[in-house]
Amino acid sequence: MSFAQRTHGCGEPRASHAGEQVILNGWAHRVRDLGGVCFVDLRDRSGIVQLVFDPSRFQNLAEIRSESCLSVTGTVRLRDPDTKNPAMPTGEVEIVVTGYNVLGPAKTLPFPVSDEEQMTSVNEELRIKYRYLDLRRPAMYRKFAIRAAAIRRIRAYLDQREFLEIETPIFTKSTPEGARDYLVPYRLEPGLFYALPQSPQQYKQLLMVAGVERYYQIAKCFRDEAQRADRQPEFTQLDLEMSFVTQEDVLRLIEGLTVEVVNGLIEEFDLPKDRVEGFARLTYDESMHLYGCDKPDLRFGLQLFDISSVVKDCGFGVFKSCIDGGGFVRGIRYPGGASLSRKEIGILEEFCKEFGAKGMASFGLAQDPADAGEGAVVLADGRAVKGSIAKFFKPEELVQILETAKAEPGDLLCFIADAYSAGNNVLFRLRNEIGERCGLRDQRKVAFCFVLDFPLVEWNPESSRWDATHHPFTAPKAEDLIYIDTDPGRIRADCYDVVCNGTEWASGSIRIHRPDIQERCFKLLGLDEETIRARFGHMIEAFEYGAPPHGGIAPGIDRLIMFLTDDENIREVIAFPKIGQGMDPMMGAPSTIDPQQWAELGLRLGE
Ligand code: ASP
C-alpha cells in the first residue's frame, strides 16, 4: 500500500482551514456507520479529527475497522453549528474524505483503546501483554510525552551548568545499595558472573577521581527486591556527582533543578498542580519527632505532639506505666474527629494495632460544649473534653494536653503510649490515615522536603552488626567521627534524602574520599580486611591517588513522573514494565534457554 505524506496532524485542523485539501495519517479511533453516512474519528499522536465518508462513493467501507491504520485525503469542512463538538480541539470541523488507503488492517483488539472508561476495568496483565496497543491511548502517550520533556529539561539544566553526561557499564560488579543483585554468567569462565548495577555509585565516584568534576547520567538501575507499587526491578535515576562541593552545594543544585523542571512541566503540560516554590528542610531527628518517619508527607501540617512530661504523674495507668518504663506518650490531632462514633474510633484503634500498637487512647474537644454529652469533663474556661479516659486527668493536665496538641474545638486527640520507635511506626501511619480521611493530601500539591543528618549506621539485630543507613561510601560528619569506636549509632552522616508527598524521591551524600576513613567505615560494617580488598580494593586504591572531596545524589525519574501524573503505580509511567515478580508477559521474559546455551555457560540446575 502506498501512502502520501501527511499535510497535517489529526489534531491540527481548525475552522481557519475550511476548504483546504489535507492528507492525514492515523488510526481509526472510532467507527460509526450510520448507513447514509459513515463517521470515523482519526487519531494520531497530535489529536483526533472526525472524518466523513459518503458510502455511495466508497464500496468497501467495512474494511475500515476500529484501530486499523489509514492514510486519508479530504477537504476540511465547517461542521453545522448543532454538530460542533467543543470538547474536541478540532470539534469545529470535519474532513470530507475524497480518498483513503488502509495501510495496516487491524483485527479485533483485546481491549477498547478508544474508551477510557472501559479501560479502567481491563486486567493489567492483559494491558501489559499488549502494551503496544495500551500505549496507543492518548492518556498513555501524554505520560510519556511528560517523561520525555522532564528528561529533556533535566539535561538542559545540567548541560548549562557544565555537567558531563557519561555512560557507565551495565555489566559490572556488585554495588552495595542494599538489594539483591541481578547476575549475568560469564561464558568464558564458568563460575564467574557480572552483576547488573544497582546504581552507578562506584563509577561516578571514580569519575570524580578522574577529574570530571561534574557528571550526570540518566541511568538504568537494577535491584532484585520484592515488587511494590512504587518499585520495578529496573528503574531510572538521574544519577549525578560533583567534586569540590559541600552538602549545601548539592542541595542547592538539586533544589534549583527540581523547581525549574517541575514548574516548566506544569506550565508546558498545563498540569493541575501548584507551582513548587522550594524545599522544606528537616533533620532526620526532627522528621522522626514531628512526623514519626523520615518520609513525611508535607502536603499537610498535622505534626505529632509529645505529652510525656505532662502525663508522667497522671491518674491514667496506661500512660504512667509507659513513661515509668522509659516510653513516651505522643499523639496526633484528628481535625473534626470529635464527632466520630465509638465504633468509628474502634476502627481507628484496630488500625493502630495492625501496626503493632498496644492500643490507642483518645479524647475529643467538643465542638459545642452544650452537646458534649454525659461524662464530659467541663474545664474552667467552658471547653468540654469528651471520652472515657478524660476523667483520669486533672483539669490542669487536660488544659496542658490541649495546649500542647494545639487542639481546636471538634478535634479528636489520639495518643500512642510506647517506646519511641515503636510509637513512631504507628503514629506516622495514623497521621497519613488522618490526612487521607480529612482530604488533606491535596492532589494539587507537590511538596518536596530535604531530610538531613541521617545516622551513618543502624544496628541490625538479626545479623548483630551495623548496617550502612545509606551506603558504605557515605561520609560521617567530621565532628562525629570520635564515636566510631565507642558509640557508632551516634555518628551522623553527611547524607540527605529528598522526600516528595511522603515518598522517598532521592538519596545522596557527601562521600568518603580518604582511603583510611573508607577502610575504617568498611570495618565498622563488619567487613574484614580480605573482603574489603576483594570487593572494594579498587575504590581504596583509587582514593590513594589524590581523590577530591565529592558528593552527589540520585533522584528517581519514574517517581518524578508519578508525582506529576498522580499515578500510584510505577508501571503506569514505564513504557514496558514488568508485572508480578518481574515478568514481562509481552516478550515472555524471563524465558528458558537452549540446552546449548546451558552447556556453553557451564550451568546446571541444582537438585
Ligand atoms: N547511589 C545512591 C542510590 O542509588 C544515590 C547516591 O548516593 O548518589 O540510592
Side-chain angles (χ1 to χ4, degrees):
M1 274 291 165
S2 67
F3 81 100
Q5 284 293 345
R6 61 184 141 199
T7 55
H8 294 77
C10 295
E12 285 172 358
R14 294 286 182 276
S16 59
H17 297 106
E20 280 180 33
Q21 283 274 330
V22 291
I23 302 171
L24 305 174
N25 299 155
W27 285 264
H29 188 67
R30 252 187 225 119
V31 180
R32 298 183 304 284
D33 189 349
L34 306 183
V37 58
C38 175
F39 293 106
V40 173
D41 287 342
L42 192 70
R43 181 195 72 237
D44 66 12
R45 63 184 192 163
S46 68
I48 296 177
V49 68
Q50 176 167 288
L51 310 177
V52 189
F53 292 81
D54 174 354
S56 62
R57 264 185 87 160
F58 302 104
Q59 301 311 306
N60 193 18
L61 287 182
E63 68 176 338
I64 304 183
R65 291 172 51 97
S66 175
E67 289 304 316
S68 42
C69 182
L70 309 179
S71 178
V72 170
T73 319
T75 314
V76 180
R77 179 172 77 187
L78 280 178
R79 291 201 205 182
D80 289 339
D82 54 333
T83 61
K84 282 187 183 164
N85 182 352
M88 285 168 85
T90 60
E92 281 195 291
V93 295
E94 56 197 2
I95 312 297
V96 181
V97 178
T98 50
Y100 76 89
N101 272 334
V102 176
L103 304 174
K107 56 183 190 177
T108 304
L109 267 62
F111 42 72
V113 297
S114 61
D115 189 331
E116 278 302 308
E117 218 171 290
Q118 280 195 54
M119 283 305 297
T120 56
S121 56
V122 175
N123 169 284
E124 194 194 11
E125 180 166 346
L126 191 67
R127 280 178 55 209
I128 292 179
K129 181 166 161 59
Y130 293 96
R131 190 61 154 182
Y132 50 86
L133 297 178
D134 191 38
L135 292 177
R136 282 189 185 176
R137 296 157 55 201
M140 293 302 282
Y141 180 83
R142 181 174 155 87
K143 290 177 195 182
F144 292 94
I146 295 173
R147 189 179 170 116
I151 292 175
R152 189 162 59 236
R153 285 172 181 274
I154 288 170
R155 285 205 162 101
Y157 189 92
L158 294 172
D159 293 345
Q160 274 162 23
R161 285 160 184 80
E162 292 171 22
F163 278 75
L164 225 54
E165 182 172 7
I166 298 182
E167 289 170 85
T168 55
I170 296 294
F171 285 9
T172 178
K173 194 170 151 177
S174 180
T175 47
E177 297 283 357
R180 200 175 280 129
D181 289 319
Y182 281 102
L183 299 170
V184 178
Y186 177 61
R187 180 176 55 81
L188 298 178
E189 200 171 328
L192 299 188
F193 293 84
Y194 296 105
L196 305 187
Q198 292 188 35
S199 84
Q201 183 64 35
Q202 296 182 56
Y203 287 110
K204 68 174 169 175
Q205 290 192 239
L206 294 170
L207 287 171
M208 296 304 107
V209 178
V212 166
E213 293 193 24
R214 291 183 158 215
Y215 140 94
Y216 80 95
Q217 178 178 196
I218 307 295
K220 265 294 179 79
C221 303
F222 307 86
R223 298 185 190 176
D224 186 1
E225 52 193 352
Q227 299 307 297
R228 292 192 318 218
D230 60 354
R231 272 195 197 151
Q232 275 281 288
E234 50 179 306
F235 61 95
T236 310
Q237 283 186 340
L238 160 63
D239 192 49
L240 67 85
E241 197 74 9
M242 305 162 81
S243 288
F244 309 115
V245 286
T246 60
Q247 169 168 305
E248 191 56 35
D249 297 319
V250 182
L251 300 187
R252 287 223 188 110
L253 184 275
I254 205 69
E255 183 174 5
L257 178 150
T258 309
V259 168
E260 189 167 310
V261 169
V262 167
N263 288 342
L265 292 170
I266 290 175
E267 206 168 295
E268 182 179 345
F269 290 91
D270 201 12
L271 300 173
K273 300 278 173 209
D274 295 341
R275 285 173 65 83
V276 179
E277 300 303 339
F279 291 11
R281 286 188 185 207
L282 291 162
T283 65
Y284 173 83
D285 286 344
E286 282 167 346
S287 182
M288 297 309 269
H289 188 69
L290 297 175
Y291 304 102
C293 65
D294 56 7
K295 300 173 196 29
D297 187 344
L298 295 189
R299 281 175 294 182
F300 60 101
L302 286 193
Q303 295 182 342
L304 308 182
F305 55 83
D306 186 336
I307 54 163
S308 307
S309 61
V310 181
V311 300
K312 63 182 190 312
D313 298 315
C314 73
F316 186 47
V318 176
F319 285 4
K320 184 160 172 19
S321 59
C322 166
I323 292 170
D324 289 344
F328 297 82
V329 180
R330 297 162 69 213
I332 180 155
R333 210 164 63 79
Y334 185 154
S339 59
L340 294 185
S341 65
R342 282 211 61 75
K343 191 169 160 217
E344 287 167 318
I345 293 179
I347 294 174
L348 214 53
E349 286 169 13
E350 283 312 308
F351 174 87
C352 293
K353 284 186 188 160
E354 245 178 76
F355 299 106
K358 297 179 193 81
M360 181 201 88
S362 64
F363 58 66
L365 180 59
Q367 180 72 45
D368 179 357
D371 301 335
E374 249 177 73
V377 176
V378 180
L379 300 171
D381 59 9
R383 291 183 296 171
V385 177
K386 49 185 222 178
S388 55
I389 66 163
K391 59 177 179 289
F392 295 110
F393 300 93
K394 298 189 201 91
E396 59 273 24
E397 287 169 343
L398 287 176
V399 168
Q400 273 194 55
I401 294 173
L402 294 177
E403 211 160 273
T404 312
K406 299 195 178 77
E408 300 276 338
D411 286 352
L412 181 77
L413 302 186
C414 307
F415 308 100
I416 300 289
D418 215 324
Y420 189 70
S421 63
N424 272 342
N425 188 40
V426 179
L427 282 162
F428 93 85
R429 296 173 205 270
L430 184 58
R431 179 177 175 272
N432 285 343
E433 174 69 16
I434 293 173
E436 187 67 41
R437 285 174 177 218
C438 297
L440 300 173
R441 303 178 106 175
D442 185 348
Q443 295 276 55
R444 289 200 68 94
K445 292 200 177 132
V446 197
F448 289 98
C449 71
F450 284 122
V451 181
L452 309 169
D453 299 349
F454 278 81
L456 181 73
V457 288
E458 53 201 356
W459 184 247
N460 181 338
E462 275 158 44
S463 47
S464 290
R465 55 151 211 247
W466 295 103
D467 283 343
T469 307
H470 185 38
H471 54 54
F473 309 109
T474 301
K477 282 199 184 293
E479 65 270 29
D480 289 356
L481 252 186
I482 45 170
Y483 305 119
I484 196 157
D485 297 319
T486 50
D487 193 0
R490 266 181 89 169
I491 307 176
R492 289 162 306 151
D494 272 329
C495 174
Y496 29 85
D497 273 4
V498 181
V499 174
C500 180
N501 294 358
T503 307
E504 180 189 321
W505 178 53
S507 239
S509 57
I510 296 298
R511 327 296 184 184
I512 300 168
H513 72 283
R514 291 250 315 271
D516 51 335
I517 298 180
Q518 184 66 77
E519 210 157 336
R520 280 180 84 187
C521 286
F522 280 141
K523 284 188 180 150
L524 172 63
L525 302 175
L527 303 184
D528 57 32
E529 199 85 39
E530 202 179 321
T531 316
I532 297 172
R533 292 284 145 223
R535 289 177 61 192
F536 303 116
H538 56 285
M539 294 297 283
I540 306 253
E541 188 180 2
F543 294 161
E544 285 165 352
Y545 294 113
H550 60 286
I553 193 162
I557 298 284
D558 312 293
R559 284 188 188 170
L560 175 66
I561 311 306
M562 290 167 74
F563 303 141
L564 295 174
T565 56
D566 289 324
D567 277 303
E568 286 182 2
N569 198 315
I570 192 171
R571 296 188 286 271
E572 292 299 314
V573 299
I574 293 180
F576 297 102
K578 305 281 188 294
I579 52 162
Q581 293 307 316
M583 313 301 288
D584 173 349
M586 184 184 70
M587 302 288 281
S591 62
T592 53
I593 54 171
D594 293 339
Q596 189 200 339
Q597 290 173 305
W598 282 99
E600 270 176 3
L601 293 170
L603 291 175
R604 230 167 5 95
L605 272 188
E607 293 307 303

